[in-house]
Amino acid sequence: MVNPANSSEKPKNFIERIIENDIASGNTPSGVITRFPPEPNGYLHIGHAKSITLNFTLAEKYNGTCHLRFDDTNPAKEELEYIESIKRDISWLGFSWQPHEYYASDYFGLIYDIAEKLIIEGKAYVDSLSAEEIRHYRGTLKEPGRESPDRDRSVDENLRLFREMRDGKHHDGTYVLRAKIDMKSPNLNMRDPTLFRIKKIDHHRTGATWSIYPMYDFTHPLSDAVEHVTHSICTLEFEDHRPLYDWVVENSGLESVPHQYEFSRLNLNYTVMSKRLLLQLVKDGHVAGWDDPRMPTLSGMRRRGYSPEAIRNFVELTGVAKTVGTVDHALLDHCLREDLNLRAKRLMAVLDPVTVIIDNYPDDTVEWFDAENNPEDSSAGTRKIPFSREILIEREDFMEDPPKKYFRLAPGREIRLKHAYYITCTHIVKHNNQILEIHCTYDPESRGGSSPDERKVRGTSHWVSAKHAVDCEIRLYDRLFSAEVPGEKTGNFLDDINPDSIKVIAGCKAENSIISVQPGEYLQFMRTGYFCLDAVDSTPELPVFNRTLPLRDSWEKLKKKMGIS
RNA sequence: UGGCCGAUAGUGUAAUGGUAGCACAGCAGAUUCUGGUUCUGCUUGUGAGGGUUCAAAUCCUUCUCGGCCAGCCA
């Protein structure tokens, strides 16, 4: 065993080991080639980010290339919009496939030719069984299948019928082309799988050229072979397909011999990660679209304020293995905070304002304080923030009758206003039990946030100058589902939608410098959380901010422990 | 009683016959002009039985548990 003390190298995952073995044994004379093969039938989600990151970083690590290939063999489900969103998301993550952008549909002609070759070699046949009959003939998990009556159709007849299928002479469902493998195989994928089916619909790229389309199991290995992919990495549910993958490659007559390897897909608790369910959320209006900030889609996360670096780091941390498991969402949160803490520009915004009047501060004076933009990064510089007699603080930063360990403002207490002065509460004005004004005095000696006598103040509040504050709307997001595994109890994932997954807060007040914030900037509203300008719904009159993630809040924890609501 | 795959702290992932580590979460404390950050310490694990071996998470064996597969989806 290696001494861990002097080997700081990152441990290799099983795919890296395979690749290194292949390189060492000379199996990759033209270099390592991987591919990311999305079907353009939906938006990419964080699960895809794992596959994307794996394939692109593997290629990079071993001086190879990673192809982007759209697996567009089912025109009934695929759309141009999805192709565009997929490319946008991969680029946003920071990966480039240039110039290797391919489409399975580019190979339709070649795939067709290989099908004819298989027919001629007696390895494929045209079957006139209906879909339902094929299902019956296939047998079950425990019982072998039976051979189709058409299995021994002559080569000439097969060829004639297949060409008629191609030429649109038959209706959908009347015939399929099947591989002749083994109806008794314990692996159902090998029981004469369908290679081509008739679909008389236009394809988003090939138009009306084809009335037959190849199946995934036929298309994928051939596409890999054509592109000289060496390591075709997919998720665990394709393990059973590998023998078929190998059969197709072996019988294709193509030189290149790609190999398929499977790893376990990313599962995250408190969310769903299937395109079908995500599509349902969108179509049924449970969310505002594929890019709703609550969606685990990359476009949703981008709009929410996630950084691509945080996502990449997260998927790297989850590792590559074959164990089926579920990653705790807390790890994602951690990666996000870790990244945003270093880069987010600090600003002050008050979500639930209450007025503070500083009685001994002159009414006509405005002071401009220097505030650091990011304590983690001095190169981020400073900005000026205005201070005046009437300011706004967070309503929850004041308590008339505070419990133990409450360090914020209360009658007779002194706190610091971040970057400004120490203030002490003298009295409050209430109406109908609602606090209207908190009256304070300030200590002129504490200018800038510290006093010459170096006395300690336990609390520091964020604030905005009332007459300089800018109105904004703030949207607080929480997890979309309140159950770790949505739908586990009732069988319907919609039952677990979190009713409080979005809270829209109007009447928020932010320091005036937010007017220059651009979409895509990472922000921290001090003591509150990470935010970003909503790129869709913001207007010049009313900026809208999405809360990406709240800050860790140990006071919240303490309150729970002490039984304070 | 079909086939394939898997099983290491609460979660994820290392250790490939030689001291069971790491990260997150949790707990306790320190620091702090953000109850943030940072720092320190702590708790917690090889599914079960049998075997091989000086030595087993690792090899063999039996069992248990979990995942995937019966689309003309990918």
Side-chain angles (χ1 to χ4, degrees):
Chain A
M1 210 188 251
V2 194
N3 179 2
N6 51 29
S7 80
S8 56
E9 240 175 67
K10 225 178 105 193
K12 292 178 176 32
N13 64 54
F14 78 98
I15 294 179
E16 290 170 326
R17 277 191 256 257
I18 288 168
I19 293 178
E20 288 181 14
N21 260 327
D22 284 335
I23 292 172
S25 12
N27 293 338
T28 56
S30 336
V32 171
I33 302 179
T34 58
R35 100 274 89 111
F36 175 64
E39 183 188 15
N41 68 342
Y43 277 59
L44 259 27
H45 53 63
I46 188 165
H48 294 110
K50 178 161 185 167
S51 173
I52 292 166
T53 304
L54 215 210
N55 279 293
F56 277 95
T57 56
L58 241 25
E60 189 183 13
K61 179 169 182 178
Y62 296 106
N63 291 315
T65 46
C66 179
H67 298 179
L68 170 60
R69 182 175 66 236
F70 290 96
D71 228 324
D72 54 350
T73 57
N74 186 357
K77 290 185 176 175
E78 296 151 8
E79 292 172 28
L80 214 56
E81 180 203 346
Y82 296 130
I83 291 180
E84 280 155 10
S85 76
I86 287 168
K87 293 204 275 189
R88 199 183 313 133
D89 289 343
I90 298 172
S91 298
W92 177 71
L93 272 183
F95 296 107
S96 171
W97 57 87
Q98 301 303 341
H100 303 285
E101 178 175 328
Y102 305 118
Y103 295 80
S105 52
D106 292 342
Y107 313 135
F108 281 172
L110 175 87
I111 295 168
Y112 175 87
D113 290 343
I114 290 174
E116 280 209 355
K117 171 184 129 69
L118 291 178
I119 290 172
I120 290 163
E121 291 171 355
K123 293 171 182 165
Y125 62 98
V126 173
D127 200 341
S128 49
L129 251 31
S130 69
E132 197 183 338
E133 288 167 322
I134 287 185
R135 178 154 38 86
H136 286 306
Y137 274 80
R138 184 153 35 225
T140 69
L141 294 176
K142 294 184 180 179
E143 291 157 20
R146 285 146 45 220
E147 295 183 351
S148 165
D150 291 344
R151 204 173 197 260
D152 296 318
R153 208 192 284 277
S154 73
V155 168
D156 286 349
E157 176 81 353
N158 278 325
L159 222 39
R160 182 180 65 78
L161 283 169
F162 187 49
R163 287 172 180 166
E164 287 177 4
M165 286 166 63
R166 175 197 60 189
D167 296 339
K169 298 210 168 115
H170 300 288
H171 295 298
D172 289 19
T174 50
Y175 293 107
V176 290
L177 183 75
R178 291 229 257 169
K180 194 187 285 187
I181 305 181
D182 178 10
M183 288 308 291
K184 292 192 287 291
S185 170
N187 181 344
L188 303 229
N189 294 115
M190 300 299 272
R191 319 240 263 230
D192 290 11
T194 302
L195 266 22
F196 265 94
R197 77 286 214 189
I198 301 171
K199 265 187 197 289
K200 294 182 141 180
I201 42 177
D202 284 3
H203 184 279
H204 54 97
R205 297 193 90 236
T206 62
T209 308
W210 296 92
S211 49
I212 55 173
Y213 293 94
M215 300 288 291
Y216 166 86
D217 279 318
F218 195 42
T219 308
H220 207 87
L222 296 179
S223 306
D224 285 343
V226 168
E227 293 177 15
H228 302 288
V229 166
T230 53
H231 302 263
S232 183
I233 301 162
C234 61
T235 44
L236 249 33
E237 66 269 27
F238 291 100
E239 272 179 317
D240 288 346
H241 295 243
R242 191 176 349 114
L244 178 52
Y245 181 100
D246 292 339
W247 185 93
V248 171
V249 169
E250 191 184 327
N251 290 283
S252 69
L254 295 172
E255 292 286 308
S256 198
V257 183
H259 290 282
Q260 175 185 301
Y261 303 94
E262 310 87 13
F263 72 103
S264 64
R265 65 174 343 119
L266 174 69
N267 294 307
L268 247 191
N269 55 11
Y270 299 105
T271 192
V272 294
M273 209 95 84
S274 103
K275 279 201 258 186
R276 200 188 97 244
L277 299 186
L278 295 176
L279 180 66
Q280 192 182 343
L281 289 172
V282 173
K283 287 261 152 83
D284 297 351
H286 299 288
V287 295
W290 285 102
D291 68 343
D292 186 297
R294 293 165 294 177
M295 291 282 274
T297 53
L298 295 177
S299 51
M301 296 172 82
R302 177 169 57 235
R303 187 173 167 194
R304 169 92 167 239
Y306 278 76
S307 65
E309 290 79 4
I311 293 173
R312 276 224 234 172
N313 187 239
F314 167 71
V315 297
E316 300 264 8
L317 249 32
T318 60
V320 179
K322 301 192 73 156
T323 332
V324 176
T326 302
V327 175
D328 195 332
H329 203 285
L331 183 64
L332 215 206
D333 293 347
H334 163 78
C335 292
L336 224 206
R337 289 195 179 104
E338 181 180 277
D339 185 51
L340 260 22
N341 175 50
L342 296 179
R343 67 202 300 178
K345 180 179 183 181
R346 270 62 167 179
L347 294 171
M348 293 199 283
V350 178
L351 308 210
D352 183 15
V354 61
T355 300
V356 171
I357 296 171
I358 302 163
D359 291 312
N360 61 341
Y361 194 86
D363 199 18
D364 54 352
T365 300
V366 175
E367 281 184 273
W368 291 82
F369 288 106
D370 285 312
E372 58 184 353
N373 288 327
N374 185 347
E376 307 291 331
D377 175 15
S378 55
S379 74
T382 60
R383 67 189 186 286
K384 297 279 187 189
I385 46 174
F387 183 84
S388 63
R389 186 171 192 263
E390 192 175 320
I391 63 169
L392 304 167
I393 67 167
E394 213 68 68
R395 196 167 279 276
E396 64 169 23
D397 281 347
F398 176 85
M399 275 185 105
E400 206 178 343
D401 186 18
K404 255 190 147 100
K405 295 193 180 169
Y406 183 85
F407 304 142
R408 283 115 96 145
L409 196 60
R413 291 258 192 100
E414 181 174 59
I415 63 158
R416 170 170 35 238
L417 293 176
K418 182 78 184 171
H419 302 307
Y421 288 111
Y422 294 177
I423 56 169
T424 303
C425 174
T426 53
H427 61 287
I428 58 176
V429 176
K430 284 166 73 169
H431 178 68
N432 288 344
N433 214 31
Q434 165 94 339
I435 297 170
L436 294 183
E437 294 173 351
I438 301 168
H439 286 262
C440 296
T441 56
Y442 83 110
D443 173 7
E445 294 281 283
S446 65
R447 193 174 194 286
S450 57
S451 63
D453 64 4
E454 293 187 325
R455 70 177 183 275
K456 297 285 177 203
V457 283
R458 286 306 296 267
T460 299
S461 278
H462 58 283
W463 54 275
V464 293
S465 165
K467 67 178 158 200
H468 299 92
V470 178
D471 283 290
C472 60
E473 176 180 312
I474 290 181
R475 297 175 180 174
L476 302 179
Y477 295 105
D478 197 357
R479 45 175 68 119
L480 223 205
F481 297 96
S482 43
E484 278 206 44
V485 183
E488 191 182 34
K489 272 205 184 106
T490 65
N492 181 1
F493 77 118
L494 296 176
D495 293 337
D496 288 318
I497 287 191
N498 176 7
D500 299 319
S501 62
I502 177 169
K503 275 189 200 137
V504 177
I505 306 194
C508 302
K509 300 284 189 176
E511 64 173 85
N512 61 323
S513 66
I514 65 149
I515 54 176
S516 59
V517 168
Q518 299 297 311
E521 275 189 68
Y522 301 104
L523 308 175
Q524 182 194 110
F525 290 165
M526 295 203 81
R527 302 208 308 129
T528 304
Y530 296 102
F531 291 80
C532 69
L533 186 67
D534 188 87
V536 178
D537 293 337
S538 290
T539 63
E541 296 74 41
L542 212 232
V544 174
F545 292 93
N546 295 321
R547 184 178 68 188
T548 312
L549 191 70
L551 255 28
R552 266 212 189 78
D553 190 347
S554 57
W555 169 238
E556 218 25 72
K557 235 184 217 177
L558 233 194
K559 276 201 295 189
K560 267 181 202 154
K561 202 184 291 178
M562 300 191 306
I564 304 167
S565 62

